[in-house]
Amino acid sequence: MAELGDVLVHDLATVLDKNFGYKGSFAYSKNRPDAPDPLLTIKNRLISLPLSEIDARYLNVCSDRPWGNGGGIPTIINPSLVSFQNPAWESFLQSNITISSCLGLPGSYEIRHKLHELVVYETPWRSHFLYYQDIQEEDGMFATMLVVLPSQYTGGEITVSHGSISKVIDDSTSCMTNIRVLSWYTDVKQKLKPITSGYRLVLSYSLIRCSLSGPEVMPTAANTSELTRLHEILERWHTGGYRQLPSHCMVGLVLGHHYSESELDIGQAALKGQDAHKVNQIFPVAQMLGFELWLAKLQHWCSVLDAETDYDSDGLECRPRPSPDQYQLDYFTDLKGNRVLGKIEYFDPKGLINPGGPKYYYCCTGLVIVHKEDMDRVMIIARGPNYGLDKLQASLNQDNPTPGNRKIADLILQYNREMEASMWKMMAQFALRWRDLDLWKKIIKHAMKVSRLSP
């Protein structure tokens, strides 16, 4: 194993880029010859399987969006019209919830399924799409499950993509005899090629995570070395062994999946696949060494042409100037889903670990790593000087400030971009109360520098 260097983020990246023994996938597909006939019923009419031409036409009549509407979309049947006469069908669906392990979710989750719609894809119309993502129909939905029922068709291959990885699913070879179950996370992109003949009959379910239960994923022989290395790096960070640290004293790791604000409000339990596995591994090591882990929305605006136009020495218009990249962190939550107020508008990109992330503008989710001893610094950056001033209020009744009080005062002076005149006056009161001439001089120097108070 290579020796550690002088740059914290570089060393952390060499570990956090690893998969920590993760064996799941972002998508799942499997034929289920053991599946029972669901005895599918639409408006009290039993639909035969494999799907016949007559029943396909009947489904078209029952749809709110029938064929021939000019939009080239498949037939959609409202779930309120769908029922199953075979009681074994519900048990079969519940058994398919075990696909969560194939999707890489740790532990045992309480998951329920909800029928979203019944879809019939057919030949004459344009029953295919460009790449798209599923909509999170309700809070707690983390994946889609498709059950492809027996019917005769050709074509209709599905390409699912996540990041730089793509998979092609072709279930037409066994479509007449088998029921096939497919599933993927809600942020996975999909592209469906057109059906070239026949009809494809699909039940679309939302998978909704209700609660997290069961044991956490424990370290194994496959990832012990990675966790040992992580412990070594975090311990060295805490003890001051690195020469180069991010300016905000925090590190952000771009996660592989995207999460809505409602998912961030759930916290760690809402994480998907490799994200869930990795955070589950990192957390006990970080906690042992006094580090906090947060989730946050990360927005990145790439370099664009500045609106201001340059002119050359002759007064002729030149090309606009490129503006620097901007990174912003906001909507912080801890791993239990508790909100942490504040945002960092100009996050230092040198503190960002982005394993092959998007090159241009994007909005994704990050895992924030910060030590508890740096919490005041981070909160002053995220919430402004008022955070520090509020913490110092009690010291106005103290003649001798604590080392913690002095540290907060120094941090307020260090991050004083948003200081107003009233805040500088309050800082001056602290210096007078503490009889601290050095602090008084610093306050005057900084105040004059930002032109907030007269000398």
Side-chain angles (χ1 to χ4, degrees):
M1 188 176 293
E3 293 185 2
L4 297 177
D6 294 328
V7 183
L8 166 66
V9 175
H10 177 270
D11 283 349
L12 267 180
T14 61
V15 175
L16 298 183
D17 280 349
K18 306 293 184 182
N19 61 15
F20 290 84
Y22 174 71
K23 297 180 180 179
S25 177
F26 62 87
Y28 164 88
S29 173
K30 187 176 182 180
N31 278 329
R32 293 297 302 269
D34 59 320
D37 185 336
L39 299 181
L40 173 65
T41 304
I42 307 295
K43 286 188 174 181
N44 298 319
R45 171 171 169 167
L46 185 65
I47 304 300
S48 61
L49 297 178
L51 182 66
S52 66
E53 176 79 21
I54 294 176
D55 282 339
R57 294 296 173 183
Y58 174 73
L59 293 176
N60 177 51
V61 174
C62 296
S63 174
D64 293 333
R65 289 154 55 180
W67 308 330
N69 59 7
I73 58 177
T75 299
I76 307 294
I77 305 295
N78 191 292
S80 63
L81 305 179
V82 181
S83 61
F84 307 98
Q85 301 305 312
N86 188 348
W89 181 248
E90 184 65 23
S91 299
F92 169 74
L93 289 179
Q94 196 61 39
S95 71
N96 275 300
I97 301 304
T98 57
I99 63 176
S100 61
S101 61
C102 298
L103 292 177
L105 291 175
S108 174
Y109 285 81
E110 181 185 347
I111 297 172
R112 64 184 177 92
H113 56 271
K114 181 178 180 180
L115 181 61
H116 175 54
E117 59 191 12
L118 173 66
V119 187
V120 182
Y121 300 93
E122 48 81 45
T123 306
W125 308 107
R126 182 169 48 86
S127 56
H128 64 287
F129 307 90
L130 298 176
Y131 277 109
Y132 70 100
Q133 291 180 208
D134 292 326
I135 298 174
Q136 188 178 2
E137 301 294 338
E138 56 185 287
D139 290 348
M141 178 182 173
F142 69 97
T144 294
M145 179 174 70
L146 302 184
V147 181
V148 184
L149 299 176
S151 56
Q152 179 66 53
Y153 65 91
T154 57
E157 296 89 351
I158 302 174
T159 301
V160 289
S161 301
H162 182 250
S164 60
I165 303 175
S166 295
K167 296 181 178 182
V168 177
I169 302 172
D170 182 4
D171 52 14
S172 62
T173 55
S174 58
C175 59
M176 280 287 287
T177 56
N178 280 337
I179 287 179
R180 190 175 186 90
V181 177
L182 300 79
S183 186
W184 45 72
Y185 287 113
T186 50
D187 63 337
V188 170
K189 295 181 180 179
Q190 313 132 49
K191 183 178 182 180
L192 176 62
K193 288 188 176 181
I195 299 295
T196 54
S197 68
Y199 302 93
R200 184 184 195 181
L201 183 61
V202 179
L203 293 165
S204 176
Y205 290 88
S206 300
L207 293 185
I208 302 165
R209 181 165 35 206
C210 302
S211 63
L212 175 65
S213 61
E216 294 183 346
V217 176
M218 300 304 294
T220 64
N223 60 18
T224 299
S225 61
E226 296 166 353
L227 295 176
T228 301
R229 188 67 160 181
L230 177 63
H231 186 285
E232 184 181 358
I233 293 170
L234 292 181
E235 186 174 39
R236 190 180 184 199
W237 176 5
H238 174 48
T239 56
Y242 282 101
R243 294 183 181 179
Q244 185 172 332
L245 297 174
S247 60
H248 292 145
C249 291
M250 60 193 302
V251 173
L253 170 68
V254 178
L255 296 178
H257 288 275
H258 293 257
Y259 302 92
S260 64
E261 291 183 357
S262 62
E263 288 176 310
L264 292 179
D265 288 336
I266 298 174
Q268 182 181 4
L271 297 182
K272 306 167 185 173
Q274 187 168 356
D275 294 340
H277 180 84
K278 184 174 291 188
V279 172
N280 216 6
Q281 299 289 315
I282 294 172
F283 174 68
V285 179
Q287 185 183 46
M288 182 189 308
L289 295 171
F291 285 86
E292 292 271 354
L293 299 183
W294 295 344
L295 301 174
K297 289 170 55 179
L298 171 63
Q299 298 184 73
H300 169 213
W301 291 267
C302 72
S303 296
V304 295
L305 296 180
D306 199 320
E308 182 178 350
T309 302
D310 278 345
Y311 295 88
D312 62 18
S313 57
D314 296 324
L316 299 177
E317 186 174 310
C318 301
R319 294 180 59 187
R321 298 174 299 186
S323 62
D325 285 12
Q326 179 181 339
Y327 296 82
Q328 176 175 297
L329 284 175
D330 61 4
Y331 211 92
F332 295 98
T333 67
D334 64 19
L335 294 188
K336 294 182 179 180
N338 300 312
R339 282 293 308 277
V340 181
L341 299 179
K343 66 179 179 180
I344 299 179
E345 291 185 332
Y346 298 95
F347 181 70
D348 182 3
K350 293 180 180 179
L352 187 65
I353 300 173
N354 186 5
K359 183 177 180 181
Y360 301 107
Y361 168 85
Y362 62 96
C363 180
C364 53
T365 306
L367 176 72
V368 177
I369 306 174
V370 58
H371 198 274
K372 292 179 180 178
E373 292 182 359
D374 291 318
M375 197 61 65
D376 285 331
R377 177 191 302 271
V378 171
M379 295 310 297
I380 288 173
I381 296 172
R383 296 174 60 178
N386 272 327
Y387 170 85
L389 293 172
D390 289 343
K391 292 198 70 172
L392 290 179
Q393 280 297 321
S395 67
L396 283 176
N397 300 321
Q398 302 172 0
D399 293 332
N400 297 314
T402 65
N405 293 148
R406 292 190 180 279
K407 179 181 178 181
I408 292 174
D410 288 339
L411 289 171
I412 293 174
L413 293 179
Q414 183 177 349
Y415 301 100
N416 59 32
R417 185 170 56 185
E418 299 179 4
M419 292 280 281
E420 299 175 355
S422 59
M423 298 178 183
W424 287 112
K425 292 177 180 178
M426 188 177 297
M427 285 294 295
Q429 292 177 17
F430 293 129
L432 291 172
R433 179 64 180 178
W434 300 343
R435 298 180 177 85
D436 190 329
L437 181 59
D438 289 338
L439 178 59
W440 175 268
K441 291 179 179 179
K442 290 179 182 178
I443 293 170
I444 298 301
K445 179 180 178 180
H446 283 283
M448 291 178 63
K449 185 176 181 180
V450 297
S451 301
R452 297 295 187 184
L453 287 175
S454 300

